[in-house]
Amino acid sequence: HLDFSSISPSEFFYRNRQMAGFGNPAQATYSTVRELVENSLDSCEDAGRAPVIAVSLETTASSQVVISVEDNGLGLPYDEVPSAFGQVLYGSKYGLRQKRGTFGLGVTMAVLYGQITTDSPVIIHTQSDNRGWVYRLYIDIENNHPLVEESSERIRSETGTTVTVRIEGDLPRAASRIDDYLRLTSIATPHARLVLRIDDETTLDVGPWTEILPPQPMEAKPHPRSADTELVRRTMAGKQALSLKDYLIGSFQQVGRKTASEFIRFLGLDSKRRVGDLSRTEISRISSVLKSYDSFSRPDGNSLSPIGREAFLKGVQSLYEPEYFSYASRGPLEWDGYPFILEGVIASGAAFPKGEEPTLFRFANRVPLLYDASDDILTKSLKRVSWSRYGIPNGVPWGIFVSFCSTKVPYQAAGKQSIATLDEIESAGLALFRALGRGALKQTKRQKRSK
Amino acid sequence: HLDFSSISPSEFFYRNRQMAGFGNPAQATYSTVRELVENSLDSCEDAGRAPVIAVSLETTASSQVVISVEDNGLGLPYDEVPSAFGQVLYGSKYGLRQKRGTFGLGVTMAVLYGQITTDSPVIIHTQSDNRGWVYRLYIDIENNHPLVEESSERIRSETGTTVTVRIEGDLPRAASRIDDYLRLTSIATPHARLVLRIDDETTLDVGPWTEILPPQPMEAKPHPRSADTELVRRTMAGKQALSLKDYLIGSFQQVGRKTASEFIRFLGLDSKRRVGDLSRTEISRISSVLKSYDSFSRPDGNSLSPIGREAFLKGVQSLYEPEYFSYASRGPLEWDGYPFILEGVIASGAAFPKGEEPTLFRFANRVPLLYDASDDILTKSLKRVSWSRYGIPNGVPWGIFVSFCSTKVPYQAAGKQSIATLDEIESAGLALFRALGRGALKQTKRQKRSK
Ligand SMILES: Nc1ncnc2c1ncn2[C@@H]1O[C@H](COP(=O)(O)OP(=O)(O)OP(=O)(O)O)[C@@H](O)[C@H]1O
Ligand SMILES: Nc1ncnc2c1ncn2[C@@H]1O[C@H](COP(=O)(O)OP(=O)(O)OP(=O)(O)O)[C@@H](O)[C@H]1O
Ligand SMILES: [Mg+2]
Ligand SMILES: [Mg+2]
């Protein structure tokens, strides 16, 4: 008869590692660098420090690649290292504020891939207080927990982390993408210095372009429009004695005393009802009306960290030296109750490939997205714009850099390369691209008049 | 300080449900139908029975949709229902043979989505032996286990299963896609009858086109070229006393006594060495050489179930009435040691949209893929062909139906809509499309001569 069983999350991602960007050696080489650099940048920003990140790639005999990423971030506490690196769905980024990481999966995928292709443990050298530690560890894939081969004390020059993995890779095919990735990362994080060494030769050393550190995004309460029955159930847990009014004000952002009273009146309920006395039907109704009630103000933008006009333009100028460039932004807006901002820079110059429409460079939460462009909603929005209406192309190659930032990025897959189709993001994309187009058209007309 | 924690796999897919195709109400409506129909078809084929599957969609007040799918499959055992429907990463399809399902996730996503948007339990009426059961259940999302609201005995007309969920949906937007999905499913499963009822009106009743049931795919041993250190470690577990030679012959397909001896000699090892006495370095080397050693025969095709020339052509003819049509296939081939077959039908006629290249209809393991076309490796292969060389277009619209089947489909995301980039699949796609193009060119020339 049929054999029913369950698998662990690490087993799931071992079997389906192409979903996380580890389906072939070239992409695995890229994804390993990306996952490690993302973590380093998140940590430096948590530390409130200007990031200095060194990526080292070393080819060995056969097609193995040793990838090492060093940062000056917060480091990790000694007792958190095994789970952070050797367990899938374990991390520190499950809250509601803008971060690059989101799943608690990324670095463990690199560890897993290195282990299954080269039988090598990951090596972590980290310092978060006044003691440094080196770990060599593996992951028990069937059971989703770490296997520590060794851990010992070792001094490190400052707090921060160095992660080293050995994988079956394809450096010739991945090298130029990794270079692009770091250059584009430099545009999105102008306050960072990024160094790339390949076989002991420094091939890239970019940034910082600015001394100014972006303000840290604040942890936010959920917005009413992100509500579903599960969120309402969880936010009600442990608040059985509260009044419905106090529950709403305490659990959601953009809900003050006046708004809460109006909302409760709209529902036809008594604001003094205790949460614990509400029926299942009433709770279900509260959840669906929270989602659709349109008198709540838009979610706060202070859990976001946009690149900003000045920094974005400076980065594009420094790396692409365009003849023309302009910036536009949309937001804070929201998708499903999560705040987002969309920023864009349109630029023309010889550095861009020729094409019927501008070449699109995408960013999500300050991370360049280099794969899976065609199904990204921003790419689809770009293709819907009638670029000829804005005089594009006009004999000059154009590029558009678009940066999406949100407390939650709706990625299409666990490899975090492409944004899913959501109406609010699609219309914001269209609006932004048209604004950038109008700016370009003005410039083209101005140039013609001056000739 | 930072707060480290873990999340369950159901929590992961709750937070990231767009990755599984449940990111917006229209796609969730489609995905719910797809996940349920896939399960029904898998079960009917396990039963060795011609599938009869009835899909019923009912709009209710507000935008809720009640989706019910009924089949004549194997049913589920009483004690397996809660975990199968109320736990993520639990199922019966983790083996190595061609099936539609693969993750143990799909139906639980529909349950989860229905629960969070409408607070409704899933209703399952199933019979696998001589007793029928009805369950109403929810999923505990934080802890990934089922919550059975009620289960009771209820007679069912025959073995099989009926699953009913109520979701926040968008039937107007999803209806035509669901219709396309069922028609295309009928092409891929010509031995099935598929019925669609929307608000009590039968809008589709297709198939069967043939009485012949496809042979059931056989469970296969892994092929050596699918080896990695994890697979070798697991297949060695419990075989410590075996000789290396007997271990290889017993654990992998395409390894007989002669091949095993040659392989061991190639490694420079003694074939009588006990598995338990091998060093870690030796095991790691065995794993990497298993992958690269090219003298193992190709994997068996008997774990596959291709549509077949006659059935595929018949389905396309019945539904599209083309003026010209021809079939080609490639394989059994392999990707990463997993066997696959690629079949295609090229057809021309008024039923197809006009375009610079043929319109592509994709199938994976007999399931139509209607979303995420642009990043699919088969779509990318199609675009690389110089269709003008084959006289396409020539004033006539063309369509290509391409069916990929394998013991493992490398999906790009958990929504199973798009195939990842793997070199062997890309080249097989190119070869297949060119073969179809040559067939079309021949036909076009023949037609011109006859005029
Ligand atoms: N270089 C680093 N410095 C400090 N902490 C780190 C570093 N790398 C990883 N971590 C910690 O390990 C955790 C797990 O990392 P991992 O990349 O697996 O998940 P994540 O970054 O939270 O999410 P994602 O899967 O989206 O990358 C992180 O949440 C972070 O707390
Ligand atoms: N209609 C059905 N008839 C018989 N068994 C079913 C049916 N629906 C679900 N099942 C059982 O429940 C299990 C879980 O279903 P689920 O769709 O979650 O996973 P899956 O089909 O194994 O994989 P996938 O996530 O790729 O769909 C299946 O493996 C199957 O054993
Ligand atoms: Mg990470
Ligand atoms: Mg399924």
Side-chain angles (χ1 to χ4, degrees):
Chain A
H1 224 235
L2 287 181
D3 173 32
F4 286 80
S5 60
S6 67
I7 59 170
S8 70
S10 46
E11 178 72 17
F12 172 81
F13 283 108
Y14 162 61
R15 290 171 173 243
N16 301 295
R17 53 192 177 268
Q18 76 285 347
M19 292 188 193
F22 289 84
N24 64 61
Q27 193 171 4
T29 307
Y30 176 86
S31 297
T32 298
V33 172
R34 178 183 62 68
E35 293 292 356
L36 268 49
V37 169
E38 273 187 25
N39 286 345
S40 292
L41 287 168
D42 276 346
S43 187
C44 292
E45 286 172 1
D46 279 339
R49 210 171 290 163
V52 177
I53 296 170
V55 179
S56 133
L57 308 172
E58 196 190 323
T59 38
T60 70
S62 73
S63 43
Q64 293 188 352
V65 186
V66 178
I67 298 169
S68 194
V69 175
E70 180 187 346
D71 64 60
N72 59 335
L74 273 187
L76 284 97
Y78 173 78
D79 55 354
E80 293 292 358
V81 171
S83 299
F85 288 84
Q87 185 176 327
V88 160
L89 304 185
Y90 189 91
S92 60
K93 303 172 196 171
Y94 291 125
L96 260 182
R97 62 187 178 118
Q98 178 180 328
K99 300 239 36 92
R100 294 166 185 78
T102 170
F103 305 135
L105 169 71
V107 79
T108 312
M109 284 308 301
V111 172
L112 188 154
Y113 189 82
Q115 174 176 321
I116 66 173
T117 58
T118 70
D119 205 30
S120 312
V122 61
I123 302 166
I124 302 129
H125 187 195
T126 189
Q127 179 154 338
S128 59
D129 44 43
N130 44 19
R131 298 174 75 183
W133 300 96
V134 171
Y135 273 90
R136 296 168 59 90
L137 65 87
Y138 291 94
I139 172 171
D140 174 340
I141 296 175
E142 276 174 304
N143 299 305
N144 194 30
H145 68 74
L147 297 166
V148 177
E149 189 183 73
E150 188 209 322
S151 77
S152 53
E153 198 160 352
R154 186 188 300 178
I155 287 178
R156 197 179 186 279
S157 50
E158 54 175 349
T159 69
T161 307
T162 306
V163 180
T164 305
V165 288
R166 173 189 290 257
I167 67 165
E168 189 75 23
D170 189 340
L171 194 45
R173 250 168 113 173
S176 73
R177 287 223 160 174
I178 290 170
D179 181 84
D180 290 343
Y181 171 77
L182 290 169
R183 287 176 192 277
L184 290 164
T185 297
S186 167
I187 291 179
T189 23
H191 55 293
R193 177 183 177 203
L194 306 164
V195 180
L196 176 62
R197 279 198 299 277
I198 300 185
D199 287 328
D200 287 332
E201 180 196 337
T202 299
T203 61
L204 186 72
D205 190 339
V206 280
W209 310 109
T210 173
E211 301 276 298
I212 303 165
L213 297 184
Q216 293 199 8
M218 306 302 295
E219 180 81 26
K221 284 195 190 129
H223 189 276
R225 286 194 284 271
S226 70
D228 55 44
T229 68
E230 181 67 14
L231 181 68
V232 170
R233 192 192 58 78
R234 284 184 202 183
T235 47
M236 281 183 172
K239 293 178 190 148
Q240 305 298 302
L242 283 189
S243 70
L244 176 57
K245 182 170 182 177
D246 287 342
Y247 154 74
L248 289 168
I249 294 167
S251 306
F252 297 98
Q253 56 166 290
Q254 310 310 325
V255 183
R257 307 207 66 78
K258 181 162 172 296
T259 310
S261 300
E262 291 172 357
F263 176 74
I264 293 167
R265 203 174 315 133
F266 177 83
L267 278 173
L269 292 172
D270 179 340
S271 66
K272 290 195 227 62
R273 289 282 299 285
R274 280 175 10 113
V275 164
D277 298 336
L278 294 165
S279 74
R280 180 150 195 166
T281 313
E282 287 171 322
I283 292 174
S284 172
R285 211 173 130 250
I286 287 167
S287 156
S288 68
V289 180
L290 277 169
K291 202 158 181 64
S292 58
Y293 189 73
D294 56 16
S295 299
F296 297 119
S297 311
R298 232 171 31 189
D300 231 309
N302 62 14
S303 51
L304 299 179
S305 175
I307 301 174
R309 169 183 296 268
E310 196 170 330
F312 207 168
L313 286 172
K314 184 163 194 183
V316 172
Q317 277 181 278
S318 315
L319 285 173
Y320 288 86
E321 301 179 346
E323 299 159 11
Y324 163 76
F325 47 87
S326 76
Y327 171 96
S329 75
R330 284 291 177 277
L333 298 167
E334 61 185 277
W335 74 270
D336 281 11
Y338 301 101
F340 76 87
I341 287 169
L342 208 54
E343 307 172 88
V345 170
I346 187 166
S348 67
F352 301 108
K354 293 205 194 307
E356 280 306 299
E357 66 220 3
T359 301
L360 190 63
F361 302 87
R362 302 166 291 139
F363 298 86
N365 285 4
R366 299 185 181 236
V367 177
L369 310 183
L370 266 63
Y371 284 82
D372 303 347
S374 318
D375 278 316
D376 191 306
I377 191 58
L378 295 175
T379 305
K380 290 181 176 176
S381 297
L382 185 96
K383 292 193 184 302
R384 280 181 54 186
V385 174
S386 326
W387 288 105
S388 53
R389 198 182 289 182
Y390 303 106
I392 287 169
N394 54 3
V396 186
W398 291 85
I400 286 182
F401 300 80
V402 61
S403 169
F404 173 86
C405 68
S406 181
T407 52
K408 184 171 167 181
V409 180
Y411 293 110
Q412 294 213 10
K416 292 179 282 192
Q417 294 302 308
S418 162
I419 299 173
T421 298
L422 284 134
D423 290 349
E424 305 92 316
I425 299 175
E426 181 171 22
S427 20
L430 281 168
L432 179 77
F433 293 139
R434 286 167 181 155
L436 292 172
R438 286 193 296 275
L441 182 64
K442 249 198 218 156
Q443 170 71 6
T444 311
K445 288 182 169 170
R446 196 174 301 146
Q447 272 189 335
K448 287 194 174 152
R449 280 199 302 272
S450 67
K451 282 186 180 164
Chain B
H1 224 235
L2 286 182
D3 172 32
F4 286 80
S5 60
S6 68
I7 59 171
S8 71
S10 45
E11 178 71 17
F12 173 82
F13 282 108
Y14 163 60
R15 289 171 172 244
N16 302 294
R17 52 193 177 270
Q18 76 285 349
M19 292 189 191
F22 289 84
N24 64 61
Q27 192 170 5
T29 307
Y30 175 86
S31 297
T32 299
V33 172
R34 178 183 64 68
E35 294 292 358
L36 268 49
V37 169
E38 275 187 24
N39 286 344
S40 291
L41 287 168
D42 277 345
S43 186
C44 291
E45 287 173 359
D46 279 338
R49 211 172 289 162
V52 178
I53 295 172
V55 179
S56 135
L57 308 172
E58 199 190 322
T59 38
T60 68
S62 76
S63 45
Q64 294 187 352
V65 187
V66 178
I67 299 169
S68 193
V69 175
E70 178 187 348
D71 65 61
N72 59 333
L74 273 188
L76 283 96
Y78 173 78
D79 54 353
E80 294 291 359
V81 171
S83 299
F85 288 84
Q87 184 176 329
V88 160
L89 305 186
Y90 189 91
S92 61
K93 304 171 194 171
Y94 291 124
L96 259 183
R97 61 188 181 118
Q98 176 181 329
K99 297 231 51 81
R100 293 164 184 80
T102 171
F103 304 136
L105 170 70
V107 79
T108 311
M109 283 308 301
V111 173
L112 189 152
Y113 189 81
Q115 173 177 321
I116 65 173
T117 57
T118 70
D119 204 32
S120 311
V122 60
I123 303 167
I124 303 130
H125 187 195
T126 190
Q127 178 155 338
S128 62
D129 43 43
N130 44 19
R131 298 174 74 182
W133 300 97
V134 171
Y135 272 90
R136 296 168 59 91
L137 65 87
Y138 290 95
I139 173 171
D140 173 340
I141 295 174
E142 275 173 306
N143 298 306
N144 194 30
H145 68 74
L147 298 167
V148 178
E149 189 183 72
E150 186 209 325
S151 79
S152 53
E153 200 159 350
R154 184 186 304 177
I155 286 177
R156 198 177 184 281
S157 52
E158 54 174 348
T159 67
T161 308
T162 306
V163 180
T164 306
V165 288
R166 175 190 290 258
I167 66 165
E168 188 75 25
D170 188 341
L171 192 47
R173 249 167 114 176
S176 74
R177 288 221 160 176
I178 291 170
D179 181 83
D180 290 343
Y181 170 77
L182 291 169
R183 289 177 192 278
L184 290 164
T185 297
S186 168
I187 290 178
T189 24
H191 56 292
R193 177 183 178 202
L194 306 165
V195 182
L196 175 63
R197 278 198 299 277
I198 301 185
D199 288 327
D200 288 331
E201 180 195 340
T202 298
T203 62
L204 185 73
D205 190 339
V206 280
W209 309 109
T210 173
E211 301 276 296
I212 303 166
L213 296 185
Q216 293 198 8
M218 307 302 294
E219 182 79 28
K221 283 193 191 130
H223 189 276
R225 286 193 284 270
S226 69
D228 54 43
T229 68
E230 182 67 15
L231 181 69
V232 171
R233 192 192 58 77
R234 285 183 201 184
T235 47
M236 282 185 172
K239 293 178 189 150
Q240 306 297 304
L242 282 188
S243 71
L244 177 55
K245 183 171 182 177
D246 287 343
Y247 154 75
L248 289 169
I249 294 167
S251 305
F252 297 98
Q253 57 165 289
Q254 312 308 326
V255 182
R257 307 208 66 77
K258 180 162 173 293
T259 310
S261 302
E262 290 172 357
F263 175 74
I264 293 167
R265 204 174 313 132
F266 178 83
L267 277 173
L269 292 172
D270 179 343
S271 67
K272 291 197 226 60
R273 288 284 297 285
R274 280 175 9 114
V275 164
D277 298 335
L278 294 165
S279 73
R280 181 153 194 162
T281 313
E282 288 172 322
I283 291 174
S284 172
R285 211 174 131 250
I286 286 166
S287 155
S288 68
V289 179
L290 277 168
K291 205 161 180 60
S292 57
Y293 188 73
D294 56 16
S295 299
F296 297 118
S297 311
R298 232 171 33 189
D300 233 311
N302 62 13
S303 50
L304 301 179
S305 176
I307 300 174
R309 169 184 295 267
E310 199 170 326
F312 207 167
L313 286 172
K314 185 163 196 185
V316 173
Q317 275 181 276
S318 316
L319 284 173
Y320 288 85
E321 298 180 346
E323 299 160 12
Y324 162 77
F325 46 87
S326 77
Y327 171 96
S329 73
R330 285 291 176 277
L333 296 167
E334 61 186 278
W335 73 271
D336 280 9
Y338 301 101
F340 75 87
I341 287 170
L342 209 54
E343 307 172 87
V345 170
I346 187 166
S348 66
F352 300 108
K354 291 204 190 317
E356 280 306 302
E357 65 219 2
T359 300
L360 191 64
F361 301 87
R362 301 165 293 141
F363 298 87
N365 285 3
R366 299 187 181 235
V367 176
L369 310 184
L370 267 63
Y371 284 82
D372 302 347
S374 319
D375 278 316
D376 190 305
I377 192 57
L378 295 175
T379 306
K380 291 179 174 176
S381 297
L382 185 97
K383 291 191 185 298
R384 281 181 54 185
V385 174
S386 328
W387 289 105
S388 53
R389 199 182 288 181
Y390 303 106
I392 288 169
N394 55 2
V396 185
W398 290 86
I400 288 181
F401 299 81
V402 62
S403 169
F404 174 86
C405 68
S406 180
T407 52
K408 185 171 166 181
V409 179
Y411 293 110
Q412 294 213 11
K416 294 180 281 193
Q417 293 303 308
S418 161
I419 299 173
T421 298
L422 284 134
D423 290 350
E424 306 93 316
I425 300 175
E426 183 172 21
S427 22
L430 281 168
L432 179 78
F433 293 139
R434 288 169 179 154
L436 293 172
R438 286 193 296 274
L441 182 63
K442 247 199 215 152
Q443 170 71 7
T444 309
K445 289 182 168 171
R446 196 175 299 146
Q447 273 188 335
K448 285 192 172 150
R449 282 199 302 271
S450 68
K451 283 184 176 160

